[in-house]
Amino acid sequence: MAIPLRIIDPDKLKTACSTCSLHELCLFPGLSTAEMKAVDHLVDRRRVVKRGDYLFRAGVNLHSLYAIRTGFLKSCVLHEDGREQVAGFHMMGDLMGMDAIGTNQHLCDAVALEDSEVCEIPLKDLESLSREIPSLQHHFHRIMSREIARDYGIMLLLGSMRSEERLAAFLLNLSQRFGARGYSAHEFHLRMTREEIGSYLGLKLETVSRTLSHFQAQGLISVQNKHLRITNIEGLQELVGQHGCRT
Amino acid sequence: MAIPLRIIDPDKLKTACSTCSLHELCLFPGLSTAEMKAVDHLVDRRRVVKRGDYLFRAGVNLHSLYAIRTGFLKSCVLHEDGREQVAGFHMMGDLMGMDAIGTNQHLCDAVALEDSEVCEIPLKDLESLSREIPSLQHHFHRIMSREIARDYGIMLLLGSMRSEERLAAFLLNLSQRFGARGYSAHEFHLRMTREEIGSYLGLKLETVSRTLSHFQAQGLISVQNKHLRITNIEGLQELVGQHGCRT
DNA sequence: GCATCTTCTTGACTCAGATCAAATTCGGGT
DNA sequence: ACCCGAATTTGATCTGAGTCAAGAAGATGC
């Protein structure tokens, strides 16, 4: 395990959290320099996942959590009978794999929708380091909790919104997340197919397509295949939670 | 803070996790006696919540997590526009409040559906004790993770099951949970209204009622208002994941 | 550059579950 | 025991989204 004596190990440098531009989004903001140093050793290694490849598959044993550095992935829950549903879309700074801690087995497939790069964080190491750094521990709990909160939002969406509201909420969510990461919040590339959007929103791909066309006709957005531009964000916001039909 | 010198403080005794019959279900299984002792001090106090009362409300600051000792509660997520949806039903041994760690504010209302009793676990104390007891720490992570896993299941249910499947899955879930707690798995009391079931499953109360009647006509269950008896559990199991229509 | 496969759009029709509307039963309070 | 509001059941009708189908537009590979 001895690291070869080199002045700069370029690989290590690239992996280090302390030099990572994502560290405010990712697991470890607001740590002292010394703590940051300790965290650097936590991040085992980076891994590249090509478009279409699996980061992990349902059923395999958990060894690490994965923090996304670049790229875009989806997670798919699998039902015993073969049905499959997109449970989330994940981008830079998101942490994946937390659903597997309970059973020690991944519950969902994680598939890259574009070439992506992730940092592996062995759970054992994260747990032992968070025993030493209370702020890291608390931050990890916050991240798990936010995942629960996100899921509650999706449950609300699936359980009580009509198709237009779902899609509007989806677009606003993407917009907000791209914006938070320094990308344009009103113009972006949809990395997933209509079918994947539909699966995530509990709709059929035809409904997704129709609803997008409808939004475009209303002047809310302009879509050209996967390129999307939000032209009236207030209009979309009004749509969400407007048609309070399904009481 | 000095505890009055008495041989037995009956209140403390009742609160102690080490003597609690739930401790295998609840947060702290498999600890040494010494560790158990430390955990006892963690559980701040017990609280009684009368039927219809709130354990906590959306928006209030988090101070504690709550482990249910007895009773039955629901949690309701609130949409800004006043829409409300049941996010879960919680019983003996379940832990509530984890959704609030992320923002430090509760996201949902927790309402007792029958007179209930909970143990308050201050998050700060749980975090500091779990820094000392690795198995407690890991178990807490597992519980949060299981909550995420549960939510994935609900997303699958809401996003891709038809009404009969949803209700069958719901009944089987209740059955399994009652069974795991030593109650009858095939005969129990529904503590929630049809409307609450519907809200949880993304259906209208009429649909819930009709579907229950339909199940009864098929000989799968027998319902008499809130009293439910499962007469053909395999039949229900077949129903879930049978009609794989919504691909 | 062409062929092929996948993804997307749009239209016509159908149906599961929502909505509206009674009638009935239950449960808590006096 | 009786009353009253809430919860449940059941029926009739309506509708939003699913299903089926066919063509168009993009991607991918040779």
Side-chain angles (χ1 to χ4, degrees), chain B residues 26-27 51 72 82 92 111 142 155 207:
Chain B
C26 179
L27 197 57
R51 176 170 181 220
F72 201 88
M92 187 176 99
V111 183
R142 286 173 41 133
M155 285 162 54
T207 305

Side-chain angles (χ1 to χ4, degrees), chain A residues 51 162-163 203-204 206-207 210 224:
Chain A
R51 176 170 182 219
R162 56 187 57 268
S163 61
L203 302 170
K204 296 274 111 178
E206 294 95 328
T207 305
R210 266 188 255 274
Q224 174 61 38

Side-chain angles (χ1 to χ4, degrees), chain A residues 14-81:
Chain A
K14 278 210 270 177
T15 303
C17 292
S18 46
T19 61
C20 171
S21 59
L22 298 177
H23 74 270
E24 284 298 320
L25 279 171
C26 180
L27 197 57
F28 324 112
L31 296 181
S32 74
T33 338
E35 288 168 340
M36 212 60 216
K37 205 102 189 205
V39 168
D40 283 349
H41 292 288
L42 175 58
V43 177
D44 201 27
R45 60 203 180 88
R46 282 212 268 168
R47 191 167 135 194
V48 167
V49 193
K50 288 273 167 209
R51 176 170 182 219
D53 284 352
Y54 290 91
L55 172 58
F56 52 76
R57 304 195 66 150
V60 306
N61 282 348
L62 166 78
H63 29 81
S64 293
L65 301 179
Y66 302 93
I68 304 173
R69 274 182 73 86
T70 62
F72 201 89
L73 298 95
K74 66 171 177 179
S75 48
C76 298
V77 221
L78 305 170
H79 201 241
E80 304 90 57
D81 59 8

Side-chain angles (χ1 to χ4, degrees), chain A residues 115-133:
Chain A
D115 292 358
S116 303
E117 201 173 357
V118 300
C119 297
E120 293 195 14
I121 304 172
L123 179 64
K124 274 268 176 308
D125 299 349
L126 174 58
E127 289 186 339
S128 70
L129 190 58
S130 73
R131 266 178 259 134
E132 284 160 36
I133 308 177

